[in-house]
Every structure is written in C-alpha cells, then in structure tokens.
Amino acid sequence: MSVPFDYSGRTVFVAGGTSGINLTVAQAFAEAGAAVAVLSRNPDKVNSAVAAIGETGSPVIGFVGDVRDYDSVAGALAAARHQLGGLDVIISGAAGNFPAAARDMSPRAFAAVVDIDLKGTFNVLRAAHEHLRTPGAAVINISAPQSSIPMELQSHACAAKAGVDMLTRVCALEWGSEGIRVNAVVPGPIAETEGMARLAPTPELSRVVAESVPLGRYGTTREIADCCLWLASPSAAYITGAIIPVDGGWSLGGASQVFTAMRALLTAPRPEVTPEQEGAGAVAAE
Ligand code: HXC
Ligand code: NAP
C-alpha cells in the first residue's frame, strides 16, 4: 500500500527520469500532485515518459540532455524553473552500468560510468542549487549498494556511487543552513529494471540474487518511489545527509551472506563422536 503525500503546488525535477526506478519516482510525485520535469539523452524515451507521466493529469515537461554536459543540465533546470516555478525536489538518478573486470576495462569505460554517475550528479546538484525554493527544498540522489559494498566487476560503479554518497553528505553540510536537505536512497536489487537486466541477466542469477536478500525477493520500483515521497516531505524534515537503504536488508551483506550460504552445513545434524574419538580428544587436550 502506498502512503499518500500531497505535492500539489510543488515542482520536482528528475534527472534520468525516463525509465526504470527514476520514471516510477517521477510518476509517483506526479500522482501526488506535483508538476514534474524529466531529463535524459534519448528523445524517444523522453517523449514516452512525458506521455506516461502526463496520464496522472499533473503538468509535465521533458528535456533531452546528458548529465555529463553541464550546460545542457543547467539549461534544462533553468527552463524547468521558468515554466513550472521554483524547484522543490531534485532527484538525481542518471546512471550507467555493465559488468566488467577492472583489469579488462578500458579507461574510457571506467570514465563513462564515473562521468555519468558521479560527475553527472555533481552537475545536477550544482546547476539546481540556484533554482531551489528555500527553505524546504529536498535533494535526493539515487545511489546503489556498490557505494559501500565492494563488488567484483563493479569497480566503476563502486567508485562512482561511493562518491555520490560523499557528495550527498558534503552538500547536506553546506546547504543545511539554507533549508535544503540532501539525502541519498540506496535501492537494493529492483525487479524489471535495466540495472538488474545487466547485472543478473538469467533466471538462475536472478534466483541467486533474490535468495541473498534477507527479505527473499527483489524490490519494486514503487517501493523506491514511496521512500522518495516520504523523504522529500515534511515528515522527514529533520533528516539530511542520510544514506538510506531500501533494499530488503541486502546491504547487511558481507558475512551474513556467507552464513546464509553456509546455513545448510551449519544446521546439519552433528556427526556422532565415538568413545575412541572422545578419548583421543581428551589426550590431545592434555
Ligand atoms: C566493457 C564497455 C561495456 C561493457 C561499454 N563499454 N559497455 N566495456 N563492457 N559491457 C565501454 C565502451 O567500449 C567504451 O570504451 C566506453 O565503455 C564508453 O562506451 P559508450 O557506448 O561510448 O558510452 P556511452 O554511449 O556514453 O554509454 C554509457 C554506458 C551505457 C554506461 C556504457 O551502457 C549506458 O548508456 N548505460 C545507461 C543505462 C544503464 O546502464 N542503466 C543501468 C543503470 S543500473 P572504449 O574504450 O571501447 O571506447 C546501475 C546500478 C545497478 O547503475 C545496481 C544494481 C544492484
Ligand atoms: P535505467 O532504467 O537505465 O535508468 C537510467 C536513467 O538514466 C534512464 O532514464 C536513462 O535514460 C538515464 N541516463 C543514463 N545516462 C544518462 C546520461 N548520461 N544523461 C542523462 N540521463 C542518463 O536504470 P535503473 O536500473 O532503473 O536505475 C536507475 C537508478 O537506480 C540508477 O541511479 C541506478 O544506479 C540506481 N540503482 C538501480 C538498481 C536496480 O536494481 N536497478 C539498484 C541500485 C541502484 P537515457 O538512456 O535516455 O539517457
């Protein structure tokens, strides 16, 4: 069940808001009454996202742009403010990912992900700042578990999203006195997304991932959107600089995942110890 929030009279800008998690976030804010702007590179995706979000009845505009290009981001944010009014909520969620080992990845490949995820997030926040309606504005960066958990084949995303988390904290420090809250949401593995299609592309890999989540399943895009609706609302007015997992417990990870894998062995009946073995143990202990 979704928690109802009223965003009528508010404006929301979603960078990368034309598919997957970010599109559902944009739709959720529009359903809650907000005027919404989305930006991404592919004009067809922008057009279809605008049409889908428009079905809510709220005002929506779309911009074609690349978060790696500061001028295109700044232009879109200025135009959104001009057309919709001062911005109340910024969601920065554009990202790129593919599985590749560090030793095999070209420098351009590493840079592509860092440039989109980290430098793109800086561009969005830097360009948005002057258009925020303060006090009361909320910025939410869409991070990933890679920001705190080292994962093989993910050196680019781990480095980039760790940077996103730190950028979140620093901007929270710098902008708090202006009444701007800056937080990050960390989705776990989310069903029916491009991200998981790339990182767990077969049913078998999906099953392994789902079983590694303490709650035993993938999350939904709507579950991420619901957290964003709450986090940008007055209900979260005292929360800033927080990195919030919405991941079914996945980020508890590490040792707990190893123990999940070992569970069958650890709980198997103990082999019987013969009197001879007990005696040998007693001698050895002396
Ligand atoms: C190795 C690869 C590669 C791959 C691209 N490259 N794909 N290297 N393995 N699978 C290399 C290219 O060869 C090139 O290097 C460099 O990366 C840049 O590639 P381009 O295609 O020129 O880049 P660009 O058009 O800018 O596209 C960026 C992209 C692309 C990241 C590579 O995949 C993209 O646009 N992705 C956006 C959608 C996406 O990834 N969504 C999922 C987000 S999920 P060379 O040296 O050959 O020139 C996510 C986290 C999920 O972020 C977390 C789940 C838990
Ligand atoms: P997605 O559908 O591929 O969403 C990425 C969005 O960003 C798209 O709208 C894409 O549109 C846009 N984008 C990509 N590169 C861009 C660029 N350079 N400039 C502007 N826009 C760009 O992926 P997703 O799986 O839903 O992931 C969304 C977010 O959630 C990402 O930040 C990701 O790191 C995070 N996340 C996802 C998962 C998961 O399970 N999927 C888990 C943890 C975190 P264009 O192609 O039109 O540019």
Side-chain angles (χ1 to χ4, degrees), residues 12-94:
V12 180
F13 187 101
V14 187
T18 63
S19 63
I21 292 170
N22 306 322
L23 174 58
T24 303
V25 171
Q27 286 173 308
F29 276 102
E31 275 168 21
V36 170
V38 294
L39 171 141
S40 84
R41 298 165 300 176
N42 182 324
D44 294 337
K45 286 177 71 174
V46 172
N47 288 335
S48 62
V50 166
I53 298 165
E55 285 174 16
T56 62
S58 289
V60 54
I61 49 177
F63 298 95
V64 176
D66 191 318
V67 293
R68 292 170 285 192
D69 173 4
Y70 184 81
D71 290 343
S72 84
V73 173
L77 282 154
R81 188 239 190 108
H82 181 69
Q83 293 178 49
L84 303 176
L87 304 178
D88 298 292
V89 180
I90 304 294
I91 309 286
S92 179

